[in-house]
Amino acid sequence: QMDGPYGFVFTIYIIMMVLIILNIITGIFVNDALEMSQAKKEIALQANKEKRDALFLDLKSIFEDCDLDGSGTITKVELAGFMEKPDLVNCFTELDLDGLGAGTLFDILDVDGSGTLEIEEFVLGCMRLTGPVKTMELSLGVNENKRLIHLL
């Protein structure tokens, strides 16, 4: 039997030990949750990278199919002729580019204004037009145009 101050100190000691043990257990659970969250982020990044790599290969294959004369470039006529093929229609539907006509898409992708698309222009241009980044790029383009207009 503990009377007086010893009983009070012992009760405080037991309460502190319980709180310390609960704190350690909580820390273990929080640490595990953080590790799982980080692992999920890494898995999502890896899946996104694999998706972009597959998209790159698909677009490269489409470009090679469009390049009928084997020149390493495609013209507006070649792209328009190929826009009816189911492979390209499916790919552009997945990329959310199916609303663009062949001429409009060609004009957007032909950055250098040469009248032909090289593989780099086609693949990187199509990839640039996909995903949430396109809204930001559109805003940047509008701001750039406004700045150029003020310079003139």
Side-chain angles (χ1 to χ4, degrees):
Q1 275 224 330
M2 291 190 211
D3 292 332
Y6 293 115
F8 178 73
V9 169
F10 185 70
T11 304
I12 295 296
Y13 173 77
I14 295 296
I15 291 173
M16 293 293 290
M17 288 298 121
V18 168
L19 290 175
I20 288 171
I21 290 172
L22 289 175
N23 191 21
I24 290 171
I25 292 171
T26 303
I28 291 170
F29 282 117
V30 168
N31 188 38
D32 287 347
L34 287 174
E35 286 177 4
M36 288 189 346
S37 173
Q38 183 65 28
K40 285 182 182 179
K41 285 180 186 177
E42 290 173 4
I43 290 170
L45 286 174
Q46 181 65 26
N48 190 22
K49 182 185 180 309
E50 289 173 3
K51 184 178 177 183
R52 290 191 63 80
D53 289 346
L55 173 63
F56 178 82
L57 293 175
D58 288 345
L59 289 171
K60 184 179 176 192
S61 173
I62 287 171
F63 179 87
E64 291 167 353
D65 290 343
C66 284
D67 186 18
L68 299 175
D69 58 0
S71 64
T73 61
I74 56 174
T75 63
K76 192 181 284 192
V77 174
E78 287 176 319
L79 183 63
F82 201 77
M83 287 292 279
E84 305 301 320
K85 303 231 178 181
D87 293 343
L88 188 65
V89 171
N90 290 338
C91 185
F92 280 176
T93 301
E94 286 181 29
L95 298 175
D96 200 22
L97 298 175
D98 55 337
L100 297 173
T104 306
L105 179 63
F106 187 89
D107 292 338
I108 291 171
L109 297 178
D110 188 19
V111 199
D112 60 3
S114 65
T116 60
L117 292 177
E118 296 174 359
I119 191 165
E120 181 180 336
E121 283 179 301
F122 180 77
V123 172
L124 295 180
C126 287
M127 291 179 78
R128 188 179 67 242
L129 291 174
T130 61
V133 178
K134 61 184 169 186
T135 305
M136 182 179 67
E137 288 185 359
L138 179 64
S139 297
L140 289 172
V142 168
N143 290 339
E144 182 71 17
N145 285 339
K146 285 180 183 178
R147 189 179 65 77
L148 290 173
I149 288 172
H150 287 291
L151 288 175
L152 296 175

